[in-house]
Amino acid sequence: MTEAKAPGHGPLDGVRVVELAGIGPGPFAAMLLADLGADVVRVDRPGGPGLGIDPALDVTNRNKRSVIVDLKAPDGPARVLDLAARADVLVEGYRPGVAERLGVGPADCHARNPRLVYGRMTGWGQQGPLADRAGHDIAYIALTGALGMIGDPDGPPAVPANLLGDYAGGSLYLVVGVLAALHHARATGAGQVVDAAIVDGAAHLSTMIHGMLAAGAWQDRRGANLLDGGCPYYGAYETADGKHMAVGALEPRFYTEFLRLLDLDDQAGAHADVTRWPELRAQVAARFRTRTRDEWTARFDGSDACVAPVLSLREAPRHPHLAARSTFTDHAGVTQPAPAPRFSATPTTVRTGPARPGADTDDVARDWDVPRLLSPSPEPS
């Protein structure tokens, strides 16, 4: 009788990933791979990456294991290459050329493991005039035109935290690239380098907008379009208590329902006449200021008006819909987004809290058969 296989931890159960520690989009990409079930070993440097928060609360390191390797020590690169030799994927977020100088670049790793998928996460990419320059999310999305689309036309662009560049244009594209390359490696036996640049991903996210621009359906200025706040029935409005409601009543039937619940039926034709948009915006704004956010939430509850309250980070987990779906989870007393997306046959979960730097050296050395990890690196001179 064949012994039943124990259930895994997600669709990537059995995939081994080496993460060379950094901050921002690289760790988030590795967290996503870990959430999907991969065995992610984070190679932390002595002293840590300097994120400035308690490692026990850095939830981007959940579901991972950690070892400490000083890549500047004589045996440091060899210890990482031992891990790379047994890995399916390696993720690093150094500036171009740094991994090569440290002795753990793609050529070094592929010499030990030709099947390895080597994922590189940068802002500017591996080539180009800005490749060696420092940068952060805001500069990357500024250059691609994405930042210039967001915000009030009478003020500076609105900064969307670092979600649009680092994580949407960076981490998610790195993960897509890594999984595609992993599929290729398993089919052909040949690994490759994945160059995930935030500028490339952020630009790619605006593909539909570029199509609309070419078709004359989008104006190349802020606050003048259907989806950028220029449209009075697609935006956010202040309520009586200083909070906000988000409106997305684009389709005619949703717009009709929106007007009905606002008691503004006399504006039925205003959505199709841009000359009436200023009047419509003023009336909608005035009406929203007559009630609190919670009162408006109750008013629109159960409707197809496409209106929702704008919640804070602490409020969001308590929303009935998100609570019913367990969109957020609590692990070791820390509320955090649950792994996404969801899988019918290989469910995912938060298995462990943030990996503490170096806490898993013994287990990784045993599980990955890398005894050299247990040998302390000599102090750098």
Side-chain angles (χ1 to χ4, degrees):
M1 182 175 179
T2 304
E3 183 179 349
K5 185 180 184 292
H9 300 294
L12 295 185
D13 186 38
V15 173
R16 288 179 169 180
V17 178
V18 175
E19 174 198 352
L20 302 186
I23 59 174
F28 186 84
M31 181 207 76
L32 181 49
L33 295 171
D35 282 355
L36 296 178
D39 181 6
V40 176
V41 172
R42 179 178 168 94
V43 179
D44 281 298
R45 68 194 72 172
L51 186 59
I53 67 172
D54 182 348
L57 299 176
D58 183 3
V59 294
T60 60
N61 285 329
R62 71 189 186 190
N63 289 337
K64 302 178 184 177
R65 300 194 284 179
S66 170
V67 301
I68 292 179
V69 175
D70 183 358
L71 277 167
K72 296 183 180 179
D75 71 337
R79 297 169 76 193
V80 169
L81 292 176
D82 284 349
L83 288 169
R86 291 158 175 78
D88 300 290
V89 176
L90 183 145
V91 171
E92 60 95 351
Y94 301 137
R95 290 201 206 186
V98 171
E100 285 84 351
R101 290 196 295 273
L102 290 171
V104 293
D108 303 295
C109 290
H110 283 143
R112 295 287 304 274
N113 180 0
R115 301 172 62 92
L116 182 73
V117 173
Y118 195 105
R120 314 198 83 165
M121 181 77 263
T122 61
W124 304 115
Q126 297 297 314
Q127 298 87 28
L130 297 178
D132 293 328
R133 294 275 297 277
H136 279 296
D137 176 292
I138 192 169
Y140 309 139
I141 65 174
L143 211 64
T144 63
L147 181 62
M149 291 192 294
I150 305 170
D152 192 300
D154 299 321
V159 181
N162 67 333
L163 301 179
L164 180 56
D166 280 354
Y167 299 128
S171 304
L172 297 185
Y173 277 85
L174 176 60
V175 170
V176 169
V178 160
L179 294 180
L182 182 60
H183 173 76
H184 176 265
R186 290 186 165 178
T188 67
Q192 60 182 301
V193 177
V194 178
D195 175 5
I198 294 171
V199 289
D200 296 345
H204 193 260
L205 287 169
S206 64
T207 299
M208 184 189 77
I209 304 298
H210 277 276
M212 295 173 70
L213 184 66
W218 189 275
Q219 298 183 57
D220 196 11
R221 56 192 178 92
R222 199 162 52 252
N225 300 285
L226 193 64
L227 301 174
D228 66 354
C231 170
Y233 46 96
Y234 195 90
Y237 289 91
E238 186 176 6
T239 55
D241 52 352
K243 297 179 181 179
H244 295 86
M245 297 294 290
V247 176
L250 291 176
E251 291 82 358
R253 66 185 185 278
F254 302 152
Y255 176 74
T256 298
E257 180 77 347
F258 171 63
L259 292 184
R260 183 183 71 80
L261 292 169
L262 276 182
D263 297 320
L264 288 176
D265 296 293
D266 60 328
Q267 294 293 322
H271 69 294
D273 184 356
V274 295
T275 65
R276 294 181 61 184
W277 280 9
E279 175 196 355
L280 175 60
R281 184 185 304 281
Q283 291 203 26
V284 170
R287 191 56 55 92
F288 270 117
R289 284 194 292 267
T290 64
R291 302 185 186 185
T292 66
R293 186 192 67 181
D294 289 348
E295 289 172 332
W296 281 119
T297 299
R299 173 71 170 163
F300 284 99
D301 184 46
S303 78
D304 272 346
C306 300
V307 176
V310 178
L311 303 182
S312 72
L313 291 174
R314 293 190 185 279
E315 290 176 315
R318 299 195 298 271
H319 187 275
H321 180 78
L322 303 186
R325 285 185 57 80
S326 298
T327 299
F328 292 84
T329 187
D330 289 302
H331 190 276
V334 179
T335 300
Q336 56 197 277
R342 305 180 187 203
F343 300 85
S344 61
T346 53
T348 59
T349 186
V350 178
R351 306 183 301 279
T352 62
R356 307 298 180 91
D360 307 294
T361 300
D362 290 349
D363 289 341
V364 172
R366 179 195 66 237
D367 297 343
W368 286 41
D369 191 23
V370 185
R372 186 164 16 197
L373 278 177
L374 300 173
S375 305
S377 297
E379 291 296 322
S381 56

